[in-house]
Each structure stands twice: as structure tokens, then as C-alpha cells.
Amino acid sequence: MDDIVKQALAKWPNVPHCYGWLGLDARGNWYMRDDRTQAQGPFPAAKGSMLRHEKLIDFIHRNYDHDGEGQWFFQNGPQRVYVELEAAPFVWRIADDKGFAVTAHTGQAVNVSGCLLDEEGRLYLAAPIGLGLVHTQDVGLAAEAIDQGLWTPEPVRSADLPQRFGHVLSPAARQPATLSKQ
């Protein structure tokens, strides 16, 4: 976490949390979801505006974490901005090399501890930092790693993944309607 964020937390410890305003899609893109977007429906049906500002995205990545309930958030100064997840807390990129190095959308390199294939053919990888979906552009590389015996896909139902891996897809859905607008 950035030092400036830690200082803001110490200075303003009781800032209310924010729900429904930020989403992470299955390709690792961040979306800002204003009131109008939220009124159109839940994420990802109503995504909002994709963030493109690299410094803001880097700031989000450095301050992306989860609470004890498995809800992922971006610590924005003293305020937690809870994230609506399309598929999982992470989106994995796979290096096009013989080692098949895996990196999270946040830039963190990880060691794969499990490989899962859901009913829709989506490939997930488990790592010590959490569960992530393999980016669609890297599914071919993942298939090569599987062919080489590096990973063995386990069949799963996507609906079972949040409970099994301890993450919440929609923190906003767990809140009273009045809290999601804060």
C-alpha cells in the first residue's frame, strides 16, 4: 500500500466505504460506474467507463487488496472502494516463453498452484494471492502448458468458485441499497 494511502487512513479512519462504483472485467480492465451506469444494472451487464489513465490504474493496482470477508477493494486514501468482479479477483497473463511465467493484471508474478476449467470453457489458475481467470489472449499459451503437463485442469462449476476460493463477486449486492451509492 502506498505511504500516502497509509497516512490518509491514519488521518481519516472513519470514512465510509464505497460500493458499486468500480468494476474489474474478465480481461483485467477497470471500469468506473457512475450513478447512471449503476441504475442500468449490475456489473458486468452495465460496465460503465473503462479507465485508461495509466497512473490511476497503477495506483489502483498498488492499493488493491481484500478484506476478511473476501471482498476485493481499492484503498483510495482513507476510503475503500469495493470492486465488482466479472469472474475472479485476478486476470492472469502468461509469458510467451518456455517457462510459462504467470503475472496478475496488477503486475504481480505468481506461482500456479492449481488449474480449473469451468462449464463454459473458461480457464482459471489458483495462486497464493488468489484465483484468477486466464486472459483470453493467453488461452493458447495455457493450452501449451497443459499439453506439456505443467498444469492439469480440474473441472469446476463457476458458481462454486467464490465460496471455494473465498472471494465475493459483488460486494455491492451484499449491501443495503442506500450504502451502494456512498
Side-chain angles (χ1 to χ4, degrees), residues 98-138:
K98 297 299 175 201
F100 300 103
V102 177
T103 306
H105 70 280
T106 59
Q108 296 167 277
V110 298
N111 292 316
V112 174
S113 58
C115 180
L116 307 111
L117 185 66
D118 77 7
E119 68 278 4
E120 294 182 28
R122 293 179 296 187
L123 190 66
Y124 297 83
L125 300 175
I129 64 171
L131 182 72
L133 181 67
V134 173
H135 193 284
T136 55
Q137 291 180 329
D138 296 342

Side-chain angles (χ1 to χ4, degrees), residues 55-163:
K55 290 188 186 279
L56 173 58
I57 293 168
D58 289 343
F59 183 64
I60 292 171
H61 289 170
R62 289 191 311 272
N63 297 286
Y64 183 55
D65 203 353
H66 62 88
D67 65 15
E69 296 178 28
Q71 300 176 113
W72 286 80
F73 62 88
F74 152 55
Q75 189 71 48
N76 184 25
Q79 185 174 54
R80 283 187 178 177
V81 179
Y82 282 94
V83 178
E84 299 295 293
L85 304 172
E86 183 171 351
F90 294 99
V91 176
W92 307 124
R93 298 306 312 254
I94 301 171
D96 189 6
D97 60 16
K98 297 299 175 201
F100 300 103
V102 177
T103 306
H105 70 280
T106 59
Q108 296 167 277
V110 298
N111 292 316
V112 174
S113 58
C115 180
L116 307 111
L117 185 66
D118 77 7
E119 68 278 4
E120 294 182 28
R122 293 179 296 187
L123 190 66
Y124 297 83
L125 300 175
I129 64 171
L131 182 72
L133 181 67
V134 173
H135 193 284
T136 55
Q137 291 180 329
D138 296 342
V139 170
L141 293 168
E144 287 180 41
I146 290 167
D147 286 346
Q148 292 182 23
L150 298 175
W151 306 327
T152 303
E154 168 194 343
V156 295
R157 288 179 359 107
S158 60
D160 296 337
L161 293 174
Q163 182 175 7

